[in-house]
Protein backbone atom coordinates (compact mmCIF):
# COMPACT_ATOMS: atom_id res chain seq x y z
CA UNK A 1 0.00 0.00 0.00
CA UNK A 2 1.36 3.43 -0.94
CA UNK A 3 2.23 5.79 1.91
CA UNK A 4 0.47 9.11 2.43
CA UNK A 5 3.84 10.74 1.71
CA UNK A 6 3.82 9.10 -1.72
CA UNK A 7 0.33 10.41 -2.42
CA UNK A 8 1.40 13.89 -1.33
CA UNK A 9 4.39 13.79 -3.67
CA UNK A 10 2.26 12.59 -6.61
CA UNK A 11 -0.36 15.24 -5.89
CA UNK A 12 2.25 17.99 -5.73
CA UNK A 13 4.03 16.73 -8.83
CA UNK A 14 0.95 16.77 -11.04
CA UNK A 15 -0.42 20.00 -9.58
CA UNK A 16 2.75 21.97 -10.34
CA UNK A 17 3.68 20.09 -13.52
CA UNK A 18 0.37 21.22 -14.99
CA UNK A 19 1.15 24.89 -14.37
CA UNK A 20 4.81 24.69 -15.35
CA UNK A 21 6.12 24.59 -11.78
CA UNK A 22 8.15 21.39 -11.91
CA UNK A 23 10.15 22.20 -8.78
CA UNK A 24 11.18 20.30 -5.69
CA UNK A 25 9.48 20.89 -2.35
CA UNK A 26 12.26 23.15 -1.08
CA UNK A 27 11.78 25.48 -4.04
CA UNK A 28 7.99 25.27 -3.76
CA UNK A 29 7.99 26.37 -0.13
CA UNK A 30 10.20 29.35 -0.94
CA UNK A 31 7.98 30.23 -3.93
CA UNK A 32 4.83 30.03 -1.79
CA UNK A 33 6.32 32.45 0.74
CA UNK A 34 7.78 34.87 -1.80
CA UNK A 35 4.55 34.91 -3.83
CA UNK A 36 2.32 35.02 -0.76
CA UNK A 37 0.09 32.10 -1.73
CA UNK A 38 0.16 28.32 -1.90
CA UNK A 39 -0.86 25.14 -0.10
CA UNK A 40 1.96 24.62 2.38
CA UNK A 41 0.56 21.62 4.28
CA UNK A 42 1.65 18.90 1.83
CA UNK A 43 5.02 20.55 1.22
CA UNK A 44 5.78 20.81 4.94
CA UNK A 45 4.74 17.20 5.48
CA UNK A 46 7.23 16.03 2.86
CA UNK A 47 10.02 18.31 4.04
CA UNK A 48 9.69 16.99 7.60
CA UNK A 49 10.76 13.60 6.25
CA UNK A 50 14.02 15.18 5.09
CA UNK A 51 14.90 17.88 7.61
CA UNK A 52 14.54 18.85 11.22
CA UNK A 53 11.91 21.59 11.64
CA UNK A 54 14.56 24.07 12.79
CA UNK A 55 16.46 23.45 9.54
CA UNK A 56 13.34 24.12 7.46
CA UNK A 57 12.89 27.41 9.28
CA UNK A 58 16.52 28.49 9.01
CA UNK A 59 17.32 27.22 5.50
CA UNK A 60 14.02 27.83 3.70
CA UNK A 61 11.57 30.09 5.54
CA UNK A 62 13.99 32.75 6.79
CA UNK A 63 15.83 33.12 3.43
CA UNK A 64 12.48 33.41 1.62
CA UNK A 65 11.30 36.13 4.00
CA UNK A 66 14.63 37.90 3.57
CA UNK A 67 13.93 38.05 -0.17
CA UNK A 68 10.48 39.48 0.58
CA UNK A 69 12.09 42.10 2.81
CA UNK A 70 14.57 43.02 0.08
CA UNK A 71 11.78 43.37 -2.47
CA UNK A 72 9.88 45.65 -0.11
CA UNK A 73 12.98 47.77 0.53
CA UNK A 74 13.47 48.18 -3.23
CA UNK A 75 9.84 49.18 -3.76
CA UNK A 76 9.04 45.99 -5.67
CA UNK A 77 6.51 44.88 -3.03
CA UNK A 78 3.86 46.87 -1.21
CA UNK A 79 2.78 46.26 2.39
CA UNK A 80 -0.13 43.98 1.44
CA UNK A 81 2.24 41.68 -0.46
CA UNK A 82 4.59 41.54 2.51
CA UNK A 83 1.67 40.65 4.78
CA UNK A 84 0.58 37.87 2.40
CA UNK A 85 4.08 36.41 2.48
CA UNK A 86 4.20 36.72 6.27
CA UNK A 87 0.86 34.90 6.51
CA UNK A 88 2.17 31.95 4.46
CA UNK A 89 5.35 31.88 6.58
CA UNK A 90 3.33 31.89 9.78
CA UNK A 91 1.18 29.03 8.51
CA UNK A 92 4.30 27.00 7.73
CA UNK A 93 5.75 27.76 11.16
CA UNK A 94 2.51 26.76 12.89
CA UNK A 95 2.69 23.40 11.09
CA UNK A 96 6.30 22.94 12.26
CA UNK A 97 5.78 23.94 15.90
CA UNK A 98 4.57 20.53 17.17
CA UNK A 99 7.75 18.90 15.86
CA UNK A 100 10.25 21.29 17.42
CA UNK A 101 12.01 19.75 20.40
CA UNK A 102 12.43 22.04 23.37
CA UNK A 103 15.35 21.96 25.75
CA UNK A 104 14.26 20.74 29.18
CA UNK A 105 16.31 23.38 30.99
CA UNK A 106 16.32 27.16 30.86
CA UNK A 107 19.43 28.96 29.64
CA UNK A 108 18.07 32.42 30.26
CA UNK A 109 15.32 34.89 29.53
CA UNK A 110 14.91 37.07 26.42
CA UNK A 111 12.54 39.99 26.00
CA UNK A 112 11.56 40.39 22.35
CA UNK A 113 9.60 43.01 20.43
CA UNK A 114 8.97 44.45 17.01
CA UNK A 115 9.80 48.12 17.48
CA UNK A 116 7.51 51.12 17.05
CA UNK A 117 6.72 51.93 13.44
CA UNK A 118 6.45 48.28 12.38
CA UNK A 119 3.41 45.98 12.58
CA UNK A 120 5.14 42.90 11.17
CA UNK A 121 5.67 40.03 13.58
CA UNK A 122 6.98 37.18 11.41
CA UNK A 123 10.64 37.88 12.26
CA UNK A 124 9.85 38.24 15.95
CA UNK A 125 7.84 35.01 15.92
CA UNK A 126 10.70 33.13 14.26
CA UNK A 127 13.08 34.42 16.93
CA UNK A 128 10.65 33.35 19.63
CA UNK A 129 10.34 29.81 18.30
CA UNK A 130 14.08 29.30 17.78
CA UNK A 131 15.08 30.75 21.16
CA UNK A 132 12.39 28.81 23.02
CA UNK A 133 13.43 25.56 21.36
CA UNK A 134 16.99 26.27 22.53
CA UNK A 135 16.04 26.61 26.17
CA UNK A 136 15.27 30.32 26.57
CA UNK A 137 12.23 31.77 28.31
CA UNK A 138 10.42 34.22 26.03
CA UNK A 139 8.85 37.54 27.03
CA UNK A 140 7.00 38.73 23.92
CA UNK A 141 5.93 42.38 23.98
CA UNK A 142 4.31 42.22 20.52
CA UNK A 143 4.55 44.73 17.67
CA UNK A 144 4.75 48.55 17.41
CA UNK A 145 6.40 48.67 20.84
CA UNK A 146 7.52 52.08 22.08
CA UNK A 147 11.15 52.38 23.30
CA UNK A 148 9.86 53.47 26.73
CA UNK A 149 7.79 50.28 27.03
CA UNK A 150 10.81 48.15 26.16
CA UNK A 151 12.91 49.93 28.80
CA UNK A 152 10.23 49.71 31.50
CA UNK A 153 9.83 45.96 30.92
CA UNK A 154 13.60 45.46 30.82
CA UNK A 155 13.87 47.09 34.25
CA UNK A 156 10.92 45.26 35.82
CA UNK A 157 11.41 41.81 34.26
CA UNK A 158 15.24 41.71 34.24
CA UNK A 159 15.76 39.64 31.07
CA UNK A 160 19.18 38.29 30.16
CA UNK A 161 18.76 39.62 26.61
CA UNK A 162 16.62 42.04 24.62
CA UNK A 163 15.80 41.11 21.02
CA UNK A 164 14.44 43.74 18.64
CA UNK A 165 13.15 43.11 15.14
CA UNK A 166 12.18 45.43 12.31
CA UNK A 167 11.24 44.96 8.68
CA UNK A 168 10.76 48.61 7.70
CA UNK A 169 13.49 51.23 7.32
CA UNK A 170 11.90 53.53 9.90
CA UNK A 171 12.33 50.75 12.47
CA UNK A 172 16.05 51.55 12.58
CA UNK A 173 15.46 54.97 14.17
CA UNK A 174 13.48 53.41 17.01
CA UNK A 175 16.21 50.83 17.59
CA UNK A 176 18.71 53.67 17.97
CA UNK A 177 16.31 55.44 20.33
CA UNK A 178 15.93 52.27 22.40
CA UNK A 179 19.70 51.86 22.61
CA UNK A 180 20.05 55.47 23.78
CA UNK A 181 17.45 54.94 26.51
CA UNK A 182 19.18 51.74 27.67
CA UNK A 183 22.36 53.75 28.05
CA UNK A 184 20.55 56.58 29.87
CA UNK A 185 19.18 54.07 32.38
CA UNK A 186 22.67 52.57 32.77
CA UNK A 187 21.41 49.12 31.76
CA UNK A 188 23.87 46.56 30.44
CA UNK A 189 21.54 43.96 28.95
CA UNK A 190 22.86 42.56 25.65
CA UNK A 191 20.77 43.91 22.77
CA UNK A 192 20.26 41.53 19.83
CA UNK A 193 19.11 43.29 16.66
CA UNK A 194 17.82 41.85 13.40
CA UNK A 195 15.38 42.14 10.54
CA UNK A 196 15.34 43.14 6.89
CA UNK A 197 15.72 46.82 7.80
CA UNK A 198 19.12 46.25 9.41
CA UNK A 199 22.64 45.37 8.38
CA UNK A 200 25.73 44.55 10.40
CA UNK A 201 27.33 47.74 9.11
CA UNK A 202 24.40 49.86 10.34
CA UNK A 203 24.53 48.30 13.81
CA UNK A 204 28.30 48.75 14.09
CA UNK A 205 28.25 52.38 12.92
CA UNK A 206 24.95 53.73 14.28
CA UNK A 207 24.06 51.65 17.34
CA UNK A 208 27.15 50.03 18.85
CA UNK A 209 28.84 53.41 19.56
CA UNK A 210 25.69 54.38 21.46
CA UNK A 211 25.25 51.05 23.26
CA UNK A 212 28.32 48.83 23.39
CA UNK A 213 26.39 45.64 24.10
CA UNK A 214 24.47 45.79 20.80
CA UNK A 215 24.87 42.81 18.47
CA UNK A 216 23.65 42.22 14.92
CA UNK A 217 22.14 38.80 14.13
CA UNK A 218 21.39 38.02 10.49
CA UNK A 219 18.85 35.37 11.56
CA UNK A 220 17.41 33.66 14.62
CA UNK A 221 19.98 30.87 14.62
CA UNK A 222 22.84 33.37 14.76
CA UNK A 223 20.97 35.19 17.54
CA UNK A 224 20.96 32.01 19.60
CA UNK A 225 24.66 31.47 18.89
CA UNK A 226 25.48 35.01 20.06
CA UNK A 227 23.36 34.57 23.19
CA UNK A 228 24.94 31.21 24.01
CA UNK A 229 28.45 32.68 23.65
CA UNK A 230 27.58 35.56 25.96
CA UNK A 231 26.11 33.18 28.56
CA UNK A 232 29.28 31.08 28.70
Amino acid sequence: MASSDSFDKVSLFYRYKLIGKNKNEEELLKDFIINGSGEVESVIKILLNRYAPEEIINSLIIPAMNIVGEKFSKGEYIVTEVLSSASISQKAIDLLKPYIKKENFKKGKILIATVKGDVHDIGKNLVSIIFESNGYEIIDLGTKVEPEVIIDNAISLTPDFIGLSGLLARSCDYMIETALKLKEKKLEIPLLLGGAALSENFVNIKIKPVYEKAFYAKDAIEGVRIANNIKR
Side-chain angles (χ1 to χ4, degrees), residues 21-34:
K21 297 278 188 182
N22 187 17
K23 297 182 177 182
N24 61 34
E25 289 77 24
E26 291 85 351
E27 293 170 316
L28 286 176
L29 180 58
K30 286 183 177 180
D31 279 357
F32 287 166
I33 293 169
I34 293 167

Side-chain angles (χ1 to χ4, degrees), residues 12-96:
L12 279 170
F13 175 80
Y14 283 110
R15 187 180 306 139
Y16 293 101
K17 183 74 171 176
L18 285 172
I19 60 174
K21 297 278 188 182
N22 187 17
K23 297 182 177 182
N24 61 34
E25 289 77 24
E26 291 85 351
E27 293 170 316
L28 286 176
L29 180 58
K30 286 183 177 180
D31 279 357
F32 287 166
I33 293 169
I34 293 167
N35 296 322
S37 66
E39 299 174 20
V40 297
E41 292 90 343
S42 296
V43 176
I44 290 294
K45 188 173 182 181
I46 292 167
L47 290 173
L48 279 169
N49 290 322
R50 301 175 188 165
Y51 310 103
E54 296 90 345
E55 191 173 356
I56 296 172
I57 290 171
N58 198 48
S59 300
L60 300 175
I61 295 176
I62 291 176
M65 279 307 297
N66 285 342
I67 291 172
V68 172
E70 289 169 8
K71 286 180 176 291
F72 182 80
S73 297
K74 293 175 182 176
E76 297 174 13
Y77 273 15
I78 60 175
V79 171
T80 53
E81 289 171 310
V82 173
L83 292 176
S84 295
S85 293
S87 176
I88 294 296
S89 291
Q90 189 62 59
K91 190 172 184 180
I93 290 166
D94 288 342
L95 291 166
L96 292 169

Side-chain angles (χ1 to χ4, degrees), residues 6-187:
S6 298
F7 284 122
D8 284 332
K9 289 179 79 72
V10 170
S11 174
L12 279 170
F13 175 80
Y14 283 110
R15 187 180 306 139
Y16 293 101
K17 183 74 171 176
L18 285 172
I19 60 174
K21 297 278 188 182
N22 187 17
K23 297 182 177 182
N24 61 34
E25 289 77 24
E26 291 85 351
E27 293 170 316
L28 286 176
L29 180 58
K30 286 183 177 180
D31 279 357
F32 287 166
I33 293 169
I34 293 167
N35 296 322
S37 66
E39 299 174 20
V40 297
E41 292 90 343
S42 296
V43 176
I44 290 294
K45 188 173 182 181
I46 292 167
L47 290 173
L48 279 169
N49 290 322
R50 301 175 188 165
Y51 310 103
E54 296 90 345
E55 191 173 356
I56 296 172
I57 290 171
N58 198 48
S59 300
L60 300 175
I61 295 176
I62 291 176
M65 279 307 297
N66 285 342
I67 291 172
V68 172
E70 289 169 8
K71 286 180 176 291
F72 182 80
S73 297
K74 293 175 182 176
E76 297 174 13
Y77 273 15
I78 60 175
V79 171
T80 53
E81 289 171 310
V82 173
L83 292 176
S84 295
S85 293
S87 176
I88 294 296
S89 291
Q90 189 62 59
K91 190 172 184 180
I93 290 166
D94 288 342
L95 291 166
L96 292 169
K97 274 184 183 178
Y99 301 95
I100 296 175
K101 295 178 181 178
K102 296 181 181 179
E103 297 282 359
N104 56 9
F105 61 92
K106 292 298 178 187
K107 293 180 181 176
K109 184 163 54 175
I110 180 169
L111 183 152
I112 63 172
T114 300
V115 295
K116 180 182 175 181
D118 199 335
V119 299
H120 304 99
D121 64 359
I122 184 65
K124 174 181 64 63
N125 292 345
L126 284 168
V127 170
S128 176
I129 291 165
I130 296 298
F131 267 83
E132 189 174 16
S133 69
N134 279 273
Y136 287 87
E137 180 184 345
I138 306 298
I139 305 165
D140 190 342
L141 298 185
T143 63
K144 299 187 294 183
V145 184
E146 297 269 0
E148 293 82 4
V149 174
I150 295 168
I151 302 305
D152 289 346
N153 279 275
I155 292 170
S156 63
L157 300 174
T158 62
D160 298 286
F161 302 94
I162 298 171
L164 301 182
S165 173
L167 178 65
L168 306 179
R170 63 177 177 266
S171 308
C172 297
D173 292 334
Y174 293 109
M175 290 186 181
I176 295 172
E177 186 178 338
T178 303
L180 281 167
K181 290 184 180 298
L182 285 168
K183 184 178 181 180
E184 286 172 7
K185 296 292 184 180
K186 295 182 169 49
L187 297 174

Side-chain angles (χ1 to χ4, degrees), residues 190-206:
L191 181 62
L192 309 180
L193 304 166
L198 282 184
S199 68
E200 185 173 11
N201 192 49
F202 181 90
V203 172
N204 288 338
I205 293 174
K206 296 287 188 179

